[in-house]
Amino acid sequence: MKKLAIIGSGDLGKQIAHHSSSLNNIEIIGFFDDFIQKDTYVGKYKILGPIKLVGDLYEKSLFDYLIIGIGYKHILFRKKLYDKFINKIPFLSVIHPSSYIDKSAIIGNGVFIFPNCTIDMNSIIEDNVVLYNNCNISHDS
């Protein structure tokens, strides 16, 4: 079982938790969020604390993997967080089972692929990318 923590408990974070929790091999541990008080709940998942606690709680083995649930409105902050943690904590890529990923495609770290996406042959999805519902990435992209 992969223990996953999510940075951000807004709409994208909640969607990542929802879809990831339906997969048999992922357990959602909770959210890191600077704007919601520690130990409160967003849906059925606990706020683990502010982002500054990510490293400490990883060192205590509270979770095994991280993913960023901060969306396009804060894309520079999302990149900053990814760059901060990439060499310290493993990022999990989550692909919804209804999506088709060609065997020749390459999927980076910390990627979340929503339902019904198609990633065609020889495509590359780089690190820290979110593909929303029904995205189609054509061959050699």
Side-chain angles (χ1 to χ4, degrees):
M1 185 68 73
K2 297 174 182 174
K3 298 186 295 184
L4 179 63
I6 302 167
I7 296 179
S9 65
D11 290 339
L12 179 57
K14 289 186 285 190
Q15 289 176 307
I16 289 173
H18 172 76
H19 289 298
S20 298
S21 69
S22 67
L23 302 175
N24 293 332
N25 63 338
I26 298 175
E27 176 187 2
I28 305 301
I29 301 304
F31 298 107
F32 289 99
D33 198 303
D34 288 347
F35 302 102
I36 299 179
Q37 186 175 350
K38 182 180 182 213
D39 295 328
T40 58
Y41 281 81
V42 173
K44 54 185 181 176
Y45 302 108
K46 186 187 272 191
I47 300 295
L48 304 170
I51 295 168
K52 68 182 180 182
L53 295 181
V54 169
D56 293 340
L57 295 180
Y58 174 73
E59 291 297 321
K60 293 178 181 176
S61 299
L62 180 69
F63 62 95
D64 305 315
Y65 296 93
L66 191 59
I67 197 164
I68 299 174
I70 295 171
Y72 61 87
K73 290 182 182 178
H74 304 285
I75 198 74
L76 294 178
F77 185 57
R78 178 185 175 87
K79 181 183 180 338
K80 180 180 174 182
L81 289 171
Y82 183 81
D83 292 344
K84 177 178 181 173
F85 294 115
I86 184 56
N87 294 317
K88 299 174 184 163
I89 300 171
F91 278 86
L92 185 65
S93 289
V94 179
I95 301 168
H96 192 274
S98 67
S99 290
Y100 168 75
I101 312 298
D102 187 83
K103 64 183 177 182
S104 66
I106 297 171
I107 307 297
N109 292 313
V111 170
F112 191 85
I113 299 178
F114 274 83
N116 301 313
C117 292
T118 299
I119 313 300
D120 204 359
M121 67 177 206
N122 300 320
S123 294
I124 299 171
I125 307 301
E126 294 185 355
D127 297 341
N128 195 31
V129 168
V130 175
L131 295 178
Y132 288 92
N133 296 337
N134 302 308
C135 282
N136 291 300
I137 308 299
S138 294
H139 64 90
D140 302 298
S141 295

